[in-house]
Amino acid sequence: MKKNKKILRNIFIIAIIVYVAFVFINQQNTLNDYNKDTEKLNQQIASEEATNENLNEQKENVNSLEFIEEMAREKLDMYYPNERVYMDQGM
């Protein structure tokens, strides 16, 4: 009888150890996935911050004379009087 109790106790302890190891490995994998997601999100944040800086620079330059002239030339095909524009038809 004592031998059976000892065997059952040992099996129970081994089962607990296996369960704890399984939970630890599973949690470690989940933690690794979260760290990868965090890295991706940090890269995305850095990219969006760079885009935001570019947009803020454009916002500051919108009222400048150079920007207005450039937009008039590019978007509206406007030019100064007596200014000749040559277009290469070969391309």
Side-chain angles (χ1 to χ4, degrees), residues 29 50 68 75 81:
N29 288 337
I68 294 171
K75 305 285 182 185

Side-chain angles (χ1 to χ4, degrees), residues 73-74 77-79 83-91:
R73 287 178 185 271
E74 288 180 11
D77 289 328
M78 297 176 73
Y79 301 99
E83 183 179 24
R84 292 185 182 218
V85 179
Y86 296 99
M87 302 193 68
D88 185 11
Q89 297 294 330
M91 293 187 145

Side-chain angles (χ1 to χ4, degrees), residues 13-65:
I13 290 173
I14 290 172
I16 289 175
I17 291 171
V18 168
Y19 175 75
V20 168
F22 175 75
V23 168
F24 178 76
I25 291 170
N26 193 16
Q27 285 181 347
Q28 191 63 35
N29 288 337
T30 304
L31 185 61
N32 289 339
D33 290 342
Y34 287 151
N35 287 336
K36 288 178 186 175
D37 289 344
T38 301
E39 288 176 21
K40 266 198 256 184
L41 291 173
N42 285 336
Q43 289 174 352
Q44 191 174 10
I45 287 171
S47 172
E48 293 301 323
E49 285 176 347
T51 302
N52 193 22
E53 283 182 32
N54 289 337
L55 289 174
N56 283 334
E57 287 176 14
Q58 285 181 358
K59 181 180 169 185
E60 290 173 7
N61 293 332
V62 164
N63 292 329
S64 70
L65 188 59

Side-chain angles (χ1 to χ4, degrees), residues 2-14:
K2 283 188 175 187
K3 200 172 193 180
N4 284 340
K5 284 185 179 182
K6 211 174 200 184
I7 291 173
L8 284 175
R9 186 184 65 168
N10 288 341
I11 291 173
F12 182 71
I13 290 173
I14 290 172

